[in-house]
Amino acid sequence: MRHPLAAACLVLLLPMGAALHAREMAVPPSGVIGVGAEQLDPAFWLRQAPSPDAVVLDAATIAARNAKLLQVDPSMHDLQALPATLERAQVLKWIQDLSRRPTHELYDEAGRSVPAATLDALLPSLALDQVPATQKTRYGLVVKRAALRSFPTSLRVFSHKGDTDIDRFQETAEFPGTPVAIVHASQDGRWLFVVSPRYAAWVERDAIAEGSREQVLGYADKAPYRVVTGATERTVYTREQPGVSQLQLDMGTRVPLAQGLAADQPVNGQHAYSSWTLELPVRQADGSLAFSPALLQKNTDSAADYLPLTHANLIRQAFKFLGERYGWGHAYDARDCSGFVSDVYRSMGVQMPRNTSAQAVSPGLEHTLFTDKDSRAVREKAIDALQIGDLIYIPGHVMMMLGRIDGEPYVIHDTNGLSYRQDGAMRRVQLNEVSVTPLRPLMFNDTQRYIDRMTSIVRIR
């Protein structure tokens, strides 16, 4: 996910050069070539996986890799390493790297051109003249699933009339309990510019509770804890504590268990014997950080630790998102292509950069890079060597290797749609969801396959 090439990442093309594959693969009533009901069941892929339960990386190795990622990947931010005082130049760089006035025409949700005056007004809203020469480093915790934006505005803008899915001001989302550094506020005071481990962007002030460095950075290390292993889960409704009522927790979110509570006493008006009692951050009226118990039913999908990194778990976790609507920048309470693969791996404790552009080349990940000089034979050899869980990148898009049918590789990915040529005619199927598709026939344009435009293969090993 990243702006300039995003539209290209969402369409799968299969022209004349792949006609052989199209003829060999069945086209079911859905129109999704090569995919029937069997392929939509994770059990189908588990049966074919060699040694599906073998541990690929143990927890200690994963922790070491995560620590290295923070140190060597420029898209990541090690909050532990931030100085006690931030310089104006650093804060301006964070903001100006992101918040650049758009130079191309944009449209609103009604398909009307966004006036130049509206775009011009975005720059004063940044209040860059109010960034002090130095400032004490402040910290906070995200208290609810929160959108991170290019500018301090809720205005949704789009590159094309009628395209109301890809909001160009939507960057990503952060989840409850994520630590951030608070470095600036918008002109109207309603937005904060924050730096999280994987992103730096604008977020609405009411999504952040400010606390001490020790409170904020220590929260992630609290134990015991639960890890959300379902696609999304929600805390139990509570009238008594609205801030933690039906709170969405996405896959991979780690939340500590509350300590020191009497086992026979109610939590927020409800007995806790059939639920896990979590400790969640809440924002007090003055914006400061506090913590509240919240209940997560024991019949929801969570675990006492991150799942083992195995091929079986990669398949199972990916399929928990099957059919979820595509959400650019984690919009629609969902996720996009890079958010999908990173959330799957996060449930096994593996941290990754947020966007495809960073994931594909991260010095903290094991990757094979491809350039225009690499021949088709070199690329085909790499495709033949793909393993379950490998991540395949083309400009602006990422897919996860799922398995093979009669030697042909299949992937699972969050995509807008696919097109293929059948009996000489182009057929397009709008997907807009996490989908299973074949890989080899997919084309980037009328002359190049996805494989021809492949930029990287990342293997978490």
Side-chain angles (χ1 to χ4, degrees), residues 143-301:
V143 299
K144 60 182 178 181
R145 196 182 201 273
L148 267 62
R149 308 280 291 167
S150 309
F151 291 93
T153 177
S154 299
L155 175 67
R156 302 182 73 228
V157 298
F158 312 95
S159 294
H160 306 284
K161 292 181 180 180
D163 171 14
T164 55
D165 277 334
I166 300 179
D167 174 3
R168 296 301 180 177
F169 288 171
Q170 176 72 16
E171 292 289 332
T172 186
E174 289 293 3
F175 309 126
T178 301
V180 298
I182 303 169
V183 305
H184 191 47
S186 62
Q187 185 70 47
D188 62 11
R190 293 179 49 225
W191 295 78
L192 299 173
F193 194 91
V194 300
V195 179
S196 78
R198 298 202 304 167
Y199 227 85
W202 296 95
V203 64
E204 289 186 284
R205 180 184 287 273
D206 66 3
I208 306 295
E210 184 171 355
S212 68
R213 183 181 189 278
E214 293 71 24
Q215 281 180 309
V216 170
L217 301 185
Y219 181 78
D221 295 327
K222 288 185 176 182
Y225 54 86
R226 300 297 295 181
V227 174
V228 176
T229 48
T232 58
E233 302 293 348
R234 291 186 181 272
T235 58
V236 170
Y237 169 82
T238 166
R239 169 178 66 81
E240 294 79 3
Q241 291 289 345
V244 295
S245 179
Q246 295 185 316
L247 196 67
Q248 180 172 325
L249 303 173
D250 289 71
M251 182 181 287
T253 301
R254 168 178 161 160
V255 186
L257 296 178
Q259 300 297 298
L261 302 178
D264 62 346
Q265 295 300 306
V267 172
N268 302 335
Q270 178 178 337
H271 202 291
Y273 84 104
S274 61
S275 300
W276 304 106
T277 304
L278 309 178
E279 180 182 85
L280 283 166
V282 292
R283 187 177 190 273
Q284 300 193 99
D286 63 356
S288 63
L289 174 64
F291 296 96
S292 172
L295 298 181
L296 179 68
Q297 292 170 223
K298 288 186 176 179
N299 60 4
T300 56
D301 196 344

Side-chain angles (χ1 to χ4, degrees), residues 125-141:
S125 73
L126 306 179
L128 297 182
D129 59 333
Q130 297 178 28
V131 178
T134 61
Q135 60 177 292
K136 180 183 176 182
T137 305
R138 299 155 55 203
Y139 297 89
L141 286 176

Side-chain angles (χ1 to χ4, degrees), residues 97-113:
D97 281 351
L98 177 76
S99 304
R100 302 175 183 174
R101 187 200 182 283
T103 57
H104 55 283
E105 190 166 16
L106 294 171
Y107 302 89
D108 64 17
E109 291 181 277
R112 298 169 300 212
S113 180

Side-chain angles (χ1 to χ4, degrees), residues 380-452:
E380 289 286 359
K381 185 177 180 180
I383 294 301
D384 288 339
L386 285 173
Q387 298 178 15
I388 294 168
D390 285 354
L391 304 176
I392 307 108
Y393 294 84
I394 63 172
H397 189 51
V398 57
M399 303 160 279
M400 191 176 91
M401 174 64 174
L402 188 55
R404 298 180 190 274
I405 299 176
D406 297 329
E408 289 299 318
Y410 276 63
V411 292
I412 184 168
H413 51 146
D414 209 342
T415 184
N416 175 260
L418 80 150
S419 299
Y420 55 91
R421 193 173 294 278
Q422 183 184 16
D423 298 328
M426 189 69 76
R427 181 174 181 180
R428 175 174 173 78
V429 181
Q430 181 176 344
L431 294 172
N432 218 24
E433 63 183 312
V434 176
S435 308
V436 173
T437 68
L439 170 62
R440 200 182 297 275
L442 306 182
M443 301 295 288
F444 191 84
N445 53 42
D446 283 345
T447 60
Q448 293 178 303
R449 298 182 300 166
Y450 265 36
I451 294 171
D452 297 325

Side-chain angles (χ1 to χ4, degrees), residues 448-461:
Q448 293 178 303
R449 298 182 300 166
Y450 265 36
I451 294 171
D452 297 325
R453 293 301 302 267
M454 187 168 59
T455 60
S456 178
I457 294 174
V458 167
R459 177 167 291 169
I460 309 296
R461 300 290 187 273

